[in-house]
Amino acid sequence: MPSILAVLGSVNADLYVEVDRLPLPGETIPGSGAAIRPGGKGANQAVAAARLGQATHFLGQWGDDTHAGMLKDALASSKVDLSAAQGVPGPSGQAFIVLQKGGENSIIIVGGANQAWSGISEGMQAAIKSVGTLLLQREVPESVNLAAAKIASAARVPVILDAGGAMGPLPKELLSQLAVLSPNETELARLTNLPTETEAQVYTAALALQKQGVKEVLVKLGKRGALLIRENGQTLTQGIFPIQVVDTTGAGDCFTAAFVVARMEGRRAEECLRFAAAAASVCVSRLGAMPSMPQRAEVERILVS
Ligand code: RIB
């Protein structure tokens, strides 16, 4: 199987501000730490995979505004292959991120170029057919994800979908093409209309997704770790590696990408989960989404400690 990963998805300029707490309606409060950083779920996952040593194509779109150069440079400097990515007229995607003390965030997305797709280019189609795995998220139109998944499935390329980026239901046609679907607990609850407060509830909801045609379900549970239901029904759980949390933005992207990298390396499912948890622990210890994605050596150090 080819060892290249294709990540199709969004790239955003993340506009950060840090606050002690969220403002009430009609209230004005002071903030600090205003900064523009590269992000977007697709680009974050592509950079995470590349920094972990995985040859990675990014298939996405930036605009023709002042953010575009910064976004391209950020991807390219992590050695992500941009030969099939493209610029389109109009603004790049933006994410307005309000970061509270303790690392919790609230995010508002303005889609821009991420929502301005006019089909999947020939270059992207060729890339999808030639890789070992296709990784998707939900910050581009569902029609684009579905088309990409169909191209991949026809070429027997496994498709993995991180459910982050949109809250609506997923079409059956897409679910049935997924090797792995990875929601967090909120996304799992919305996708299934089931509660996800206890471990038993998470398990029941994940099983409900699997019954809809997904082969494996990987649930990211934040501080509670992660749960994987494998194709053979085996259930695995993984705790977190304790660390001082600075910013949780991008941690889910990091977890999914690291899991995919380990899976492409042919590691056992337990090892994939552990590798992903170690990578995410580095990510939450630093500011920013894309800038906080770990290098391989940082993850290896945690795994041997
Ligand atoms: O998952 C984190 C990402 O969500 C941020 O980088 C932001 O761009 C939003 O897409």
Side-chain angles (χ1 to χ4, degrees):
M1 186 188 283
S3 62
I4 299 172
L5 169 68
V7 183
L8 185 148
S10 60
V11 56
N12 290 330
D14 287 355
L15 283 69
Y16 262 76
V17 63
E18 293 169 42
V19 295
D20 288 338
R21 61 171 177 82
L22 295 178
L24 298 169
E27 188 185 24
T28 301
I29 62 165
S32 63
I36 303 177
R37 300 187 172 97
K41 293 186 191 305
N44 292 342
Q45 293 182 10
V47 164
R51 289 191 186 168
L52 293 171
Q54 172 62 55
T56 303
H57 277 289
F58 175 64
L59 311 178
Q61 304 190 147
W62 45 77
D64 60 5
D65 55 3
T66 51
H67 295 311
M70 180 271 288
L71 299 176
K72 271 187 273 184
D73 289 350
L75 283 151
S77 67
S78 286
K79 302 198 167 48
V80 174
D81 187 325
L82 296 179
S83 55
Q86 59 193 26
V88 295
S92 300
Q94 295 176 86
F96 295 83
I97 301 183
V98 184
L99 179 64
Q100 295 181 69
K101 279 214 162 81
E104 281 303 322
N105 61 39
S106 307
I107 304 181
I108 299 168
I109 294 289
V110 180
N114 298 313
Q115 292 295 327
W117 288 68
S118 54
I120 299 182
S121 70
E122 281 181 16
M124 290 193 192
Q125 292 191 32
I128 293 170
K129 288 176 195 162
S130 72
V131 295
T133 298
L134 173 67
L135 175 57
L136 306 169
Q137 323 73 36
R138 303 188 72 197
E139 279 183 350
V140 298
E142 204 92 282
S143 57
V144 172
N145 273 346
L146 190 52
K150 281 184 181 168
I151 294 165
S153 297
R156 296 182 177 276
V157 172
V159 182
I160 297 180
L161 174 67
D162 184 311
M167 283 298 186
L170 280 164
K172 268 215 146 114
E173 207 183 353
L174 182 54
L175 286 169
S176 62
Q177 301 192 53
L178 299 180
V180 183
L181 172 59
S182 182
N184 65 23
E185 60 204 298
T186 312
E187 291 150 3
L188 178 63
R190 297 261 180 114
L191 286 172
T192 59
N193 282 321
L194 291 169
T196 56
E197 274 130 46
T198 66
E199 198 175 308
Q201 289 172 339
V202 167
Y203 175 75
T204 304
L207 212 54
L209 272 187
Q210 198 181 38
K211 283 186 188 138
Q212 291 178 54
V214 177
K215 291 196 181 65
E216 297 195 351
V217 182
L218 172 64
V219 189
K220 293 167 292 229
L221 297 165
K223 286 179 203 145
R224 289 192 283 158
L227 175 139
L228 175 70
I229 302 188
R230 303 185 66 197
E231 196 174 359
N232 62 10
Q234 185 191 19
T235 304
L236 299 172
T237 56
Q238 171 67 50
I240 59 164
F241 288 84
I243 200 139
Q244 178 75 37
V245 176
V246 172
D247 180 6
T248 56
T249 314
D253 299 334
C254 181
F255 188 98
T256 304
F259 180 88
V260 171
V261 169
R263 188 178 189 274
M264 290 181 75
E265 290 172 359
R267 295 177 179 226
R268 291 187 301 118
E270 292 87 343
E271 290 172 342
C272 295
L273 285 170
R274 211 165 159 263
F275 186 75
S281 77
V282 179
C283 179
V284 301
S285 71
R286 306 199 276 237
L287 256 182
M290 194 189 293
S292 67
M293 296 304 163
Q295 300 288 342
R296 179 85 182 207
E298 296 178 285
V299 179
E300 302 286 3
R301 268 200 295 277
I302 292 178
L303 291 172
V304 296
S305 65

